Each structure stands twice: as structure tokens, then as C-alpha cells.
Amino acid sequence: MRQPEITASGVLISDMQGKILCATGLASDPIIQKQLLSDLPKKCQQTTGMEALKGALRLLATWRVMGDTVAFFIQSVANQPTLFDFVASVDFAHIIFNHFVNSPYESMIVVDDQARLKFVPPVHAQFFGIKPGEGIGKHVTEVIENTRLHEVVATGKTEIGKLQEMAGITRVVARLPIIENGKTYGAIGRVMFKGPETVRDLSQEVNKLRSEVEFYRRELSSLRRRSYDLDQMVGRSDAIRQLKADIIKVAPLNVPVLIVGESGTGKELAAHAIHVLSSRSDNQMVFVNAAALPSGLVESELFGYEAGAFTGAEKKGRKGKFEQADNSSLFFDEIGDMPAEIQVKLLRVLQDGMFERVGGNRERHSDFRLICASNRDFQTMIQKGEFRLDLYYRISGVTIRMPSLRERLEDIPDLVESFLSSFSQRQRITISHVDARVYDYLKELPWPGNVRQLLHEVERAAIFCEAGQITIKDFRPLPMASHDRHETVVQTTHSPIIPSKVTIQEAIDEVEGTMIQAAMAKHQGNKKKVAEELGISRAYLYKKLQILPADIDLS
């Protein structure tokens, strides 16, 4: 007898005792028939069922009990191993499929490649006001209000979490194209059927999140646009005009820049201005405080590390400062305070931008623009062996000097007005008047902390002033200076008078030491409060405390 030709599908019908009434296609194979009819009494206890047939072919069989007969449908799933494995592993797979078809939260609407309805689950048919099977074959837009399933079929693009209004109720829907081997066969739509109260709550939450996102988007945009340009450098003195002219010339050039000047003169502000005026301004400038780099972690901080490079390392590794600054600017603040062992590690990467992550063996390259700042005297440090000469040449392609406040006293009125305007907006207070004598008074002071010190003193005066009127008495924390500029005199209970026959730097060091000593005594050694009062960083305070004479009482 000739064996029937095996096709990709087949049908088997038997009675309840296993007598075959009809067999076609794949169901004509005796081996397949044996698998189908095994445990028939158990299968007949279920209305429907599904199983995977193991053999030379991967087959999926579904069955349904109809009166005194059982009908099996067999289909090849050779190209769908996941479906075969799912059915073979889960003996209640048919229940799961029924759940997806009938559940109001999981069921789906199916359209073909012409956006014609192929399946509408009963729960959806009831919602749309149609009888089961009534919408089959119709274009989806004729049955479902505000649908976009036909657009998904046309574009092949998935739409997840979209809002769709149907029958006056807003639903959250998902629309997915069904694509195989580049061909779109149709699309499915799923609806989360929720009660009106839940939808309203969800809508309110979505609106709230949208408002928050918009707020943070505005804040981020504001930060990105934050004016670090030349307009932030307040003043009209010759010194400031020259500084701005130098920055304008240097900013477009791809050369390293060293910004020098006393503490509090605005070196970081100048660095930001150089970056903003450069071709790299679209990317955020990367900041490194060289004085605060711990020697044990300098490599991982600057060069980054690979996953598992050391205990406690992030699983995915991490980019270092050099890598973060690619196509941007890298600002090394306080580079003059960088320890010698760290200076050595910088030479190569500053030369050609090449480096390796900690724990890695692949060379990486970063195209960054180097900007450094320091208040140190590099020539003296180089002579004493405290700073490498070759590193100095690497960082000082162009040197820009920040003028001290003593060199631009005519800018004090503009600076005071700018500080008061900013402080008033932040604190929501009103400063209506500044006594004209205040400016003359401020011009007579030594200002060892420069613009930063002036900022803190002006804000303190704004706090202490009465009725929004700032007068000289509101600057009571400031020590008085001699009216004779040729002889700088600062007299306290702990320090001698500074004679005029000293260098400016020596006078500055003496005044700084005096102010630090007084502040340390006032705050009982609380360095955080001392740094805040004097308007200096704690790193700078620690450095100054190390060089003060040992016999000075700092308690």
C-alpha cells in the first residue's frame, strides 16, 4: 500500500474509544496517530487541549471534544522552536492561550495586512456594541473608534502605552505589528480595560509626570544656558577689559590654557568662559580638583576602570575624567597643589591623549582641551622641585593672569550691585539703597580673599542691614585698613603691624594668616565654619594651616 504524502498539517477525528474515523495529511502517519490517541480518556475529560509531538518533526497538536468525537489538528512548528518548547514544557499551555484570548486585560484584536479585522474577543465585541463575529472582515476603522492599527500595519512601527479614547473613556493601549522575515502579516491591539476612576487617576498621574518632566527640562536647559560667558565677569576697569580680550583670543584655539591668580579672583569663571566661547561648548566641561585627588584612587578617577578591576568596582566599569571630557574641556583646578606622584601619571595623556583604564589592556584616546588654574608661584615650585618642569610646559601653552581685586578697585561698585541683585533674587529680599560712602570704604580695604571675599561680605551686610539700606556699619565683621595705601597696616591682638617694606605677597600671606587665626579662635577650631566665613575652600584652608607658625594659638 502506498504511504500517503506527509504535508505540513493534518486532521484526525476519532470516537471516544480511539477508533479513527478520519485522518488527513500529517495525521495519516501511524506514529503520530499513536501519540495523539495515547491517554485518550484523560484528554476527553477536557473540552480543549494542546501538546507537542516529539519525533523527527516538531509538531504542535490541538484537540477539541465535540459530542462523541474528538478532533485533532496537527501543524508543523519546525521554524518556531520557542513555541514548541513552551507547549512541550507546560502541560497547561492551552489554558494560558485561552487566558490571553479571553481575559479583558490580556486579550487582543487582530487585523491582517489590509487592516481587516480577523479576530475580536467576546469581551471587546461587547464593549464595541457588536455581536460576536460581526466585525470580522471589516476595515478596523469601521468598528473601533480612534484606532491606529491600520497605521501600524502600514508603517510596521510599534506603539506602546498610547492613549486612545473609546466610548468616551480614555484607555491605555499597545499596538504591535506582526512581522516575520521582513513581511508584515498584520497587527494586534491590546487594551488595558480599567474602571473610569482608575483611568482618571492614571491620567492625573501622567499629567503630573508630564509637568515634572517639563519643569526639569526647563531647569536643565537653564543650566546649560547658564551664562558663564564674559558678561559674568563684572567690571569696566582696564584690567578686566584686558582679561576679556585675552579670553576672546584664546578661547577658539585648541591649546592648553593655564589660569593663574590669587585665591578668589574668579579663575573658575574664566575657565567656564573659555569653554563656552570654544567650539566644544555643546558638551559639558569636566571638572577636576587636583588638590583633592587621593593618591590611591587617582588612576581610577582620571583614567577610569574596567569591570572587576578591583574590589568594590562597578560591574560595568566606569569612565574616568579624561574619557568623560572627550570632545569637551577638562578643567584642572588647583593643579599647583597636585602631589608629585600624580604629576608623573599625567604626562603621557596630556601629550597625546592616550591612556588605559585600570584593569584594562586596550589603549583609549580622548580629544579634550586642557584648562588649568592655580594660585601658586610655579617658578618657585619648579626651583624647589615641587612641580615638574615638563608638566608645566604641557599645561601652560597660554597663560592668563587673573587680576586681584586690589588692581581693579574701580570695579567694586559694579561688583557690589551685581552681588546684591543676585542675592536679593535668591533670598527674596529687597535692598533699596546702598550708601555712597560704602564704596569708598570698601576700596580702602586690603581684600586678601579678592572677589570671593567681597561677595561674602556684601551678602553678610545685606543680611544685617536695616530696612533694605546698606551702610558702612553693616560691614562690621571686616577689619579696618589704613587710609594710606602706601603703608598697609593691619593691627589685631595677635599680629604685629605689617611695614611697607615687604613684598605684596608677603603682606597678603600675613593678612591671610591673621584672618585665619582670628576666625579659628572665633569658631573654636571649626574649619568648615572658618572656610565659609573667609570665603575660601577647606583645601586652601588646610594648606594655609600647615604653613602657619607652630607657636600660633589656633584653638
Side-chain angles (χ1 to χ4, degrees):
M1 180 177 177
R2 185 172 179 269
Q3 183 72 19
E5 182 179 353
I6 302 298
T7 62
S9 62
V11 175
L12 174 69
I13 301 176
S14 76
D15 61 15
M16 306 298 283
Q17 287 72 42
K19 180 180 179 181
I20 297 176
L21 304 178
C22 176
T24 65
L26 288 173
S28 302
D29 189 325
I31 297 177
I32 294 177
Q33 292 176 357
K34 183 177 180 181
Q35 290 189 60
L36 290 175
L37 298 176
S38 63
D39 297 327
L40 185 60
K42 182 178 179 182
K43 292 177 181 177
C44 291
Q45 294 175 7
Q46 305 171 0
T47 303
T48 59
M50 179 182 297
E51 71 174 332
L53 302 180
K54 299 180 176 64
L57 298 174
R58 292 191 176 193
L59 304 177
L60 183 64
T62 57
W63 70 82
R64 182 169 184 174
V65 177
M66 298 180 295
D68 295 333
T69 61
V70 184
F72 294 88
F73 179 76
I74 307 98
Q75 185 177 11
S76 172
V77 288
N79 296 326
Q80 301 174 37
T82 303
L83 175 61
F84 180 86
D85 293 341
F86 174 71
V87 176
S89 303
V90 182
D91 54 7
F92 54 93
H94 66 289
I95 299 177
I96 294 177
F97 283 114
N98 284 334
H99 168 79
F100 280 110
V101 171
N102 295 311
S103 169
Y105 301 107
E106 303 292 348
S107 59
M108 64 192 73
I109 295 168
V110 182
V111 298
D112 62 14
D113 59 351
Q114 300 299 315
R116 295 172 299 203
L117 284 169
K118 302 298 290 183
F119 176 75
V120 179
V123 65
H124 286 189
Q126 182 180 1
F127 177 79
F128 296 136
I130 60 177
K131 297 178 181 179
E134 183 179 346
I136 303 304
K138 295 181 179 180
H139 195 272
V140 66
T141 56
E142 299 178 29
V143 179
I144 302 178
E145 182 182 4
N146 295 320
T147 184
R148 281 183 48 83
L149 278 176
H150 57 298
E151 298 289 344
V152 173
V153 170
T155 63
K157 294 182 179 180
T158 299
E159 297 181 357
I160 301 294
K162 301 297 182 180
L163 300 181
Q164 180 176 339
E165 185 173 335
M166 295 174 289
I169 299 176
T170 301
R171 310 291 194 191
V172 180
V173 303
R175 310 180 185 102
L176 302 93
I178 304 302
I179 302 174
E180 186 175 65
N181 297 325
K183 179 182 178 181
T184 301
Y185 286 87
I188 62 174
R190 295 177 56 193
V191 182
M192 296 178 62
F193 276 79
K194 298 285 186 180
E197 298 81 6
T198 306
V199 173
R200 183 170 57 252
D201 293 343
L202 176 60
S203 178
Q204 291 175 351
E205 185 67 21
V206 169
N207 290 334
K208 178 183 176 183
L209 291 174
R210 284 176 174 171
S211 298
E212 291 181 359
V213 168
E214 184 60 29
F215 170 77
Y216 288 118
R217 183 181 288 116
R218 291 195 302 268
E219 288 293 301
L220 179 59
S221 177
S222 175
L223 287 174
R224 287 177 173 173
R225 294 194 310 267
R226 186 175 176 180
S227 181
Y228 282 113
D229 56 19
L230 297 181
D231 292 338
Q232 289 295 100
M233 295 186 174
V234 178
R236 291 169 283 182
S237 64
D238 291 341
I240 284 296
R241 289 178 180 176
Q242 183 62 55
L243 173 64
K244 291 181 178 180
D246 292 344
I247 289 176
I248 291 173
K249 290 180 181 179
V250 170
L253 307 178
N254 192 27
V255 295
V257 178
L258 174 61
I259 306 171
V260 297
E262 298 175 12
S263 178
T265 52
K267 295 186 289 296
E268 183 176 347
L269 188 63
H272 278 286
I274 292 172
H275 173 70
V276 168
L277 295 174
S278 74
S279 60
R280 302 168 182 261
S281 59
D282 288 341
N283 299 318
Q284 187 174 1
M285 185 172 74
V286 177
F287 179 90
V288 178
N289 187 341
L293 280 175
S295 57
L297 298 176
V298 60
E299 288 186 289
S300 60
E301 286 293 317
L302 296 182
F303 306 137
Y305 56 81
E306 299 290 358
F310 50 84
T311 303
E314 296 180 14
K315 293 183 178 180
K316 295 183 179 180
R318 192 175 71 175
K319 292 182 178 181
K321 298 295 186 181
F322 288 122
E323 203 167 347
Q324 294 173 26
D326 189 27
N327 295 318
S328 185
S329 301
L330 180 61
F331 177 45
F332 267 92
D333 195 17
E334 305 288 355
I335 195 167
D337 297 315
M338 180 178 290
E341 63 272 16
I342 300 179
Q343 296 178 27
V344 178
K345 300 178 185 295
L346 294 181
L347 285 174
R348 183 190 176 194
V349 67
L350 295 186
Q351 178 178 356
D352 54 19
M354 302 301 297
F355 64 94
E356 292 181 2
R357 285 185 179 182
V358 175
N361 53 17
R362 179 169 67 90
E363 275 199 328
R364 299 172 183 267
H365 179 265
S366 179
D367 176 20
F368 59 87
R369 201 268 184 84
L370 181 66
I371 304 175
C372 299
S374 179
N375 60 3
R376 304 293 298 275
D377 181 357
F378 282 99
Q379 300 303 324
T380 301
M381 294 175 64
I382 292 171
Q383 291 175 3
K384 294 181 179 180
E386 297 174 354
F387 200 87
R388 295 180 63 96
L389 180 61
D390 47 3
L391 179 58
Y392 175 74
Y393 288 140
R394 292 274 188 269
I395 67 175
S396 60
V398 174
T399 300
I400 291 180
R401 179 181 174 274
M402 299 296 295
S404 66
L405 187 56
R406 297 180 303 281
E407 301 173 72
R408 43 181 294 219
L409 294 174
E410 60 266 43
D411 290 332
I412 284 181
D414 289 339
L415 289 168
V416 171
E417 291 178 9
S418 175
F419 295 156
L420 286 176
S421 175
S422 176
F423 185 73
S424 299
Q425 292 179 6
R426 294 197 315 270
Q427 303 299 331
R428 298 182 180 179
I429 62 176
T430 301
I431 304 298
S432 58
H433 178 70
V434 178
D435 191 331
R437 291 173 293 180
V438 165
Y439 300 127
D440 293 332
Y441 166 75
L442 295 178
K443 290 178 182 179
E444 294 296 326
L445 300 176
W447 299 114
N450 291 289
V451 178
R452 185 189 293 121
Q453 184 187 2
L454 175 63
L455 167 65
H456 288 293
E457 297 301 342
V458 169
E459 291 183 348
R460 185 156 37 222
I463 295 172
F464 291 139
C465 74
E466 299 292 338
Q469 305 281 335
I470 293 183
T471 62
I472 292 178
K473 69 180 180 63
D474 297 318
F475 290 87
R476 54 180 180 260
L478 276 175
M480 292 298 295
S482 169
H483 290 276
D484 183 3
R485 293 184 186 172
H486 298 290
E487 182 179 355
T488 303
V489 180
V490 180
Q491 178 70 53
T492 70
T493 57
H494 298 285
S495 64
I497 295 177
I498 302 175
S500 59
K501 295 181 179 181
V502 296
T503 65
I504 291 179
Q505 189 59 52
E506 289 173 339
I508 292 172
D509 291 340
E510 184 70 24
V511 172
E512 286 184 340
T514 298
M515 295 181 69
I516 290 174
Q517 180 184 356
M520 288 289 287
K522 174 182 176 181
H523 295 290
Q524 299 179 341
N526 188 319
K527 298 180 180 61
K528 179 180 179 182
K529 292 183 178 179
V530 170
E532 290 176 351
E533 177 175 318
L534 298 181
I536 59 178
S537 66
R538 275 191 277 180
Y540 185 74
L541 175 61
Y542 290 139
K543 181 179 67 176
K544 285 296 180 180
L545 289 174
Q546 292 176 353
I547 62 177
L548 286 177
D551 58 344
I552 289 182
D553 183 11
L554 298 176
S555 61

